[in-house]
Amino acid sequence: MSNTAKTDAQRVAAHRAALHQATHPAGKMMRFGMDDPLMLDAGTSIAPWQIAYETYGELNADKSNAVLICHALTGDQYVASTNPVTGKPGWWSMMVGPGKPVDTNRFFVICSNVLGGCYGTTGPATINPETEKPYGLDLPIVTIGDMVRAQRKLVEALGISSLFAVIGGSMGGMQVLQWAAAYPEMVFSCVPIATGPRHSSQNIAFHEVGRQAVMADPNWCAGKYLEQDLRPTKGLSVARMAAHITYMSDESLHNKFGRNLQDRSKVTFGFEADFQIESYLRHQGMTFVDRFDANSYLYVTRAMDYFDLAAPHDGLLAGAFMQTNTRFCVMSFTTDWLFPTSESKSVVHALNAAGANVSFVEIDSSRGHDAFLLDEPEMFKTMRGFLIGAANARGIAGPDANPTEQEAQQ
Amino acid sequence: MSQTDLSAVRGDYQILCDFVKPGARVLDIGCGKGELLELLIATRNVDGRGIEISQSGVNECVSRGLPAVQGDADKDLSAYPNDAFDYAILSQTLQATMDPKGVLEELLRIGQKAVISFPNFGHWRNRLQLLWRGRMPVTDYLPYEWYDTPNIHFCTIRDFVALADEVGARVLRAEALNEKGLPIGFNAPWWVWNLIGDQAIFLLEKK
């Protein structure tokens, strides 16, 4: 594994810096004390707890222009600003920012780190104030419903009683659907992208492979690796490699790598990373472990596995959306096989059955599930149009109909 | 939302709009790029939704702020509950459905009222082409050859009146339009409209 420039010492320093963020985020954070516990679906609660978040733009006088962005599995609250661990620009800077579809000149945008995450919201790497040690596996299992309950506490603490829009892709899209189902009166419009109403058996299977890889790493230490200043980097790296394959399409892998060899003219008849795709996956795995906590990965994948919006309604998904006044815009991508269009369509059919105001757009893209994070002009155009329509209905200023010059060039 | 030039709108859209009460809940089935939907929202202040079979049409609608979903009139109306809308509108789409009778029944189930517009195959020009040339009619209004037409279930105005009766619908209003899409403007027996109407618009409700 030589395809990374970092020395072991640099790596240890990077891991410590990332760990610091889990309790002391670089950005904004709200704490809730012993008197304000967060109730969990597991039947227990956490107190005290904290939620880390970022905001962009200004809240208007009647607090009607707030947009909540929900991040995906390994995302963070730095949707449109630099990630303090990686130094990389915000993960959705093409979507969120001044003049962008989610226009921060018009909207007050909130993005918080999910419960169970490792960027400052209470998660397994956060220091448990009772023990002064990281929670590790002592943290109760959290669900998508719990994540949304935590976000609701934050939104209400910010003085907002109704969100103009809740937007997110993949696991973020699950949170969007959960918001719309659990707190419809707080959600004026919502945009679930590349997501589904439940995690499929196949998706649970992939997650289980990832978790078993983490747990099989001797450095995992039954979840107590932080106390011993160790990291299960090999296991987490394999988990990420396996997961990364599910984010791409066969077509995009073929187009990007084919059977091309990595810095060599012929195969080595060994187990080096002969192929570019191997080298690429190893790199993805290696860089991921620098920015993400292994136990967090276990918790957050579990939260996705447990998600099943129809379950409390005897399996009838429409039951989750009855009487809703929320405006929905559902988006999927043609080559996404992790959350295929059929999953989005089942949401759309349920919304139709519930008489909801729903738009549904399937976007032609070769890039698989990850397309929602990439430069997909049709997605930006759809988002912009939908938010303009919703802003008109809400009586607030929406994004400009004409994209910024930069977008127009794309 | 992009500006609609109201004066340039197709005549049948104008009539369709007149059939719809302001503020109603409307489903436009086969909404295309959303021209009618946009007009209904702009001029009748409806709570409007669209279904369109082509994904590019849907994307165009949504990117202009119009609520639309991809769907097929033949298959996807079953997802909607009874009386979900005040009006279910089927504009220039009936003749392209696999099962026009089933679709009409669905319209009357999900809408309190149904508005249907369709080209009249019984127009005298169509009849003459068939009579004199012995060929399937190709006109400005029906520009396709028989082998590549999406219009697989043509009917005449009298055929439609008979179908409406068969599915238990009452005709509340009807207009026959001339080749310019303007109402013929006088009441006449169905057979007269059936000869001179290029297209027809019906407002139906369940009996």
Side-chain angles (χ1 to χ4, degrees), chain A residues 30-290:
Chain A
M30 196 169 286
R31 281 182 210 276
F32 295 82
M34 294 302 291
D35 57 336
D36 202 354
L38 183 67
M39 306 310 288
L40 301 178
D41 287 342
T44 153
S45 63
I46 324 176
W49 62 283
Q50 64 187 47
I51 185 164
Y53 65 102
E54 291 296 308
T55 67
Y56 310 85
E58 301 287 330
L59 190 61
N60 64 7
D62 57 359
K63 301 181 177 179
S64 59
N65 70 336
V67 173
L68 179 70
I69 306 282
C70 301
H71 71 71
L73 180 69
T74 63
D76 51 61
Q77 66 271 40
Y78 304 99
V79 57
S81 50
T82 308
N83 178 305
V85 173
T86 63
K88 287 188 177 164
W91 55 269
W92 226 8
S93 339
M94 278 186 283
M95 183 68 92
V96 182
K100 303 291 181 190
V102 182
D103 191 345
T104 51
N105 290 333
R106 306 288 161 82
F107 303 130
F108 177 64
V109 176
I110 308 161
C111 185
S112 64
N113 186 215
V114 294
L115 193 67
C118 53
Y119 275 84
T121 298
T122 298
T126 310
I127 300 293
N128 179 349
E130 268 180 40
T131 62
E132 306 275 314
K133 290 177 187 165
Y135 279 99
L137 299 193
D138 289 340
L139 189 78
I141 290 287
V142 299
T143 65
I144 300 290
D146 297 332
M147 292 174 181
V148 166
R149 206 173 292 117
Q151 289 163 359
R152 181 181 178 223
K153 288 260 206 183
L154 169 68
V155 167
E156 286 181 341
L158 292 171
I160 296 158
S161 56
S162 162
L163 290 160
F164 166 62
V166 183
I167 300 170
S170 193
M171 187 183 86
M174 288 179 167
Q175 294 161 62
V176 171
L177 293 172
Q178 176 69 26
W179 261 101
Y183 312 112
E185 71 289 349
M186 288 183 73
V187 184
F188 184 77
S189 68
C190 71
V191 188
I193 306 172
T195 192
R198 66 198 157 82
H199 220 210
S200 70
S201 184
Q202 188 182 40
N203 292 356
I204 295 169
F206 278 115
H207 274 175
E208 176 60 2
V209 169
R211 283 190 296 263
Q212 288 301 325
V214 170
M215 294 182 192
D217 188 323
N219 281 357
W220 183 60
C221 308
K224 293 189 186 296
Y225 54 87
L226 292 177
E227 291 176 36
Q228 304 185 31
D229 204 16
L230 291 170
R231 298 289 187 281
T233 51
K234 290 200 170 72
L236 184 59
S237 175
V238 170
R240 179 62 171 179
M241 289 167 75
H244 200 85
I245 302 167
T246 69
Y247 304 151
M248 300 179 72
S249 67
D250 185 30
E251 187 183 348
S252 61
L253 286 175
H254 178 79
N255 291 343
K256 202 164 177 177
F257 308 108
R259 291 180 51 83
N260 298 342
L261 301 180
Q262 179 69 26
D263 304 330
R264 62 202 68 187
S265 54
K266 51 184 191 283
V267 297
T268 60
F269 292 94
F271 295 108
E272 290 287 299
D274 279 352
F275 294 98
Q276 281 182 7
I277 178 62
E278 295 173 299
S279 170
Y280 172 79
L281 281 181
R282 288 183 189 189
H283 176 75
Q284 290 297 327
M286 291 295 282
T287 52
F288 180 63
V289 301
D290 291 344

Side-chain angles (χ1 to χ4, degrees), chain A residues 258-387:
Chain A
R259 291 180 51 83
N260 298 342
L261 301 180
Q262 179 69 26
D263 304 330
R264 62 202 68 187
S265 54
K266 51 184 191 283
V267 297
T268 60
F269 292 94
F271 295 108
E272 290 287 299
D274 279 352
F275 294 98
Q276 281 182 7
I277 178 62
E278 295 173 299
S279 170
Y280 172 79
L281 281 181
R282 288 183 189 189
H283 176 75
Q284 290 297 327
M286 291 295 282
T287 52
F288 180 63
V289 301
D290 291 344
R291 69 176 175 90
F292 213 83
D293 173 60
N295 282 338
S296 239
Y297 194 78
L298 305 184
Y299 275 83
V300 181
T301 54
R302 203 65 179 145
M304 288 182 81
D305 293 352
Y306 281 178
F307 187 62
D308 183 357
L309 207 48
H313 303 277
D314 298 326
L316 194 67
L317 187 55
F321 302 114
M322 279 303 164
Q323 314 294 330
T324 185
N325 288 317
T326 302
R327 301 164 73 99
F328 290 79
C329 179
V330 179
M331 287 193 235
S332 70
F333 296 91
T334 47
T335 52
D336 183 352
W337 55 278
L338 194 62
F339 289 97
T341 290
S342 55
E343 294 287 313
S344 287
K345 278 206 157 177
S346 70
V347 173
V348 171
H349 284 154
L351 288 167
N352 283 339
N357 183 327
V358 54
S359 292
F360 167 58
V361 166
E362 183 188 36
I363 292 160
D364 202 349
S365 164
S366 65
R367 298 196 274 198
H369 182 62
D370 259 353
F372 81 95
L373 294 168
L374 303 173
D375 180 15
E376 291 286 345
E378 192 80 17
M379 171 177 66
F380 300 135
K381 199 174 145 200
T382 301
M383 181 74 80
R384 187 179 288 276
F386 175 73
L387 291 179

Side-chain angles (χ1 to χ4, degrees), chain A residues 329 345 348-349 352-353 355-362 378 381-382 385-386 388-389, chain B residues 1 25 47 49 55 58-60 62-70 76 79-81:
Chain A
C329 179
K345 278 206 157 177
V348 171
H349 284 154
N352 283 339
N357 183 327
V358 54
S359 292
F360 167 58
V361 166
E362 183 188 36
E378 192 80 17
K381 199 174 145 200
T382 301
F386 175 73
I388 289 172
Chain B
M1 212 170 285
R25 277 167 67 90
D47 176 6
R49 327 271 169 82
Q55 192 60 58
V58 174
N59 294 17
E60 176 77 24
V62 179
S63 69
R64 286 160 58 204
L66 301 168
V69 298
Q70 195 275 333
D76 294 318
Y80 294 89

Side-chain angles (χ1 to χ4, degrees), chain B residues 118-123 127 155-165 189-195 200 202:
Chain B
F118 59 90
N120 173 29
F121 205 68
H123 190 274
R127 299 188 196 200
C155 68
T156 69
I157 291 177
R158 292 187 84 165
D159 286 329
F160 183 80
V161 171
L163 178 63
D165 189 54
W190 293 126
W191 71 265
V192 176
W193 277 14
N194 206 19
L195 267 181
F202 280 78

Side-chain angles (χ1 to χ4, degrees), chain B residues 84-154:
Chain B
F85 297 92
D86 297 318
Y87 298 90
I89 299 178
L90 192 70
S91 164
Q92 304 292 335
T93 303
L94 186 69
Q95 74 283 355
T97 62
M98 294 290 288
D99 176 15
K101 185 182 172 204
V103 170
L104 190 56
E105 285 168 337
E106 280 292 80
L107 293 182
L108 290 161
R109 181 184 67 78
I110 65 180
Q112 304 265 357
K113 296 187 174 72
V115 182
I116 300 104
S117 76
F118 59 90
N120 173 29
F121 205 68
H123 190 274
W124 62 267
R125 261 186 278 107
N126 296 339
R127 299 188 196 200
L128 273 187
Q129 283 201 20
L130 196 56
L131 183 64
W132 292 116
R133 295 175 60 218
R135 302 280 303 272
M136 286 299 280
V138 178
T139 65
D140 287 347
Y141 198 69
L142 303 171
Y144 299 99
E145 292 289 351
W146 66 273
Y147 47 79
D148 65 2
T149 180
N151 303 319
I152 52 176
H153 279 123
F154 273 124

Side-chain angles (χ1 to χ4, degrees), chain B residues 160-187:
Chain B
F160 183 80
V161 171
L163 178 63
D165 189 54
E166 196 177 327
V167 301
R170 180 186 299 123
V171 177
L172 295 177
R173 279 179 77 178
E175 289 280 0
L177 309 187
N178 64 22
E179 62 195 87
K180 296 196 175 86
L182 299 173
I184 285 171
F186 59 88
N187 275 319

